[in-house]
Amino acid sequence: QVQLVESGGGLVQAGGSLRLSCAASKRTFDTAAMGWFRQAPGKERDFVAAINWSGDTTYYGDFAKGRFTISSDNTRNTVYLQMNSLKPEDTAVYYCAAGRSTSATRRKPDYWGQGTQVTVSS
C-alpha cells in the first residue's frame, strides 16, 4: 500500500505564498502521476494540478493557472505545489493524490493523502 503524507499548510495573508509537499512512501506503477485537490467548507472537492513523474506533463485547474506551480522530485518521491498570490477563496483542505497517469489522477486517483489545511486571511 502507498501512503501519501502532505505538509506545508498553514496560515498566510492574502497575496502571500505557501509551498505544499507530498511524499509517497514508495514508487509503484500506479503512482506514475501525482496531483493535488482541494475542498473548502460546504463545497465540492476541486482538482488543482497534476504531474507525471518525468515532469513533462502537467495540468492545472482554471483557478490555479498563473498562480500555482506543480513540480516533482523523483529522488525523494515527492511532489510540490507552489502557491503564489494567495486569495481568501484559496482557503481549503488540500489533498495529495496519486494515480497511473495525469488523466487518471485528475479523474479518479488510486491513493489519497490525509490533507493539509491552508488558510488565507484577508
Side-chain angles (χ1 to χ4, degrees), residues 3-122:
Q3 184 178 90
L4 305 177
V5 180
E6 303 101 328
S7 62
L11 176 64
V12 64
Q13 293 183 342
S17 300
L18 285 173
R19 189 178 74 161
L20 306 182
S21 299
C22 175
S25 60
K26 62 181 179 180
R27 180 78 63 84
T28 71
F29 70 94
D30 55 357
T31 59
M34 297 178 67
W36 295 90
F37 291 76
R38 72 182 189 184
Q39 188 168 25
K43 297 185 177 181
E44 298 294 322
R45 183 173 294 181
D46 292 326
F47 169 74
V48 179
I51 188 170
N52 66 342
W53 279 112
S54 66
D56 59 2
T57 302
T58 59
Y59 293 97
Y60 293 94
D62 288 339
F63 62 85
K65 295 177 180 177
R67 296 193 297 126
F68 296 0
T69 302
I70 190 169
S71 61
S72 62
D73 182 344
N74 291 339
T75 301
R76 299 182 177 182
N77 293 334
T78 299
V79 66
Y80 304 95
L81 183 68
Q82 178 68 43
M83 303 186 294
N84 299 325
S85 301
L86 285 164
K87 306 173 182 179
E89 52 263 43
D90 294 319
T91 295
V93 177
Y94 284 70
Y95 296 91
C96 182
R100 301 186 181 190
S101 68
T102 52
S103 178
T105 299
R106 292 159 59 196
R107 173 177 51 84
K108 187 179 180 182
D110 293 306
Y111 301 98
W112 290 95
Q114 81 287 348
T116 185
Q117 177 70 47
V118 172
T119 302
V120 184
S121 62
S122 60

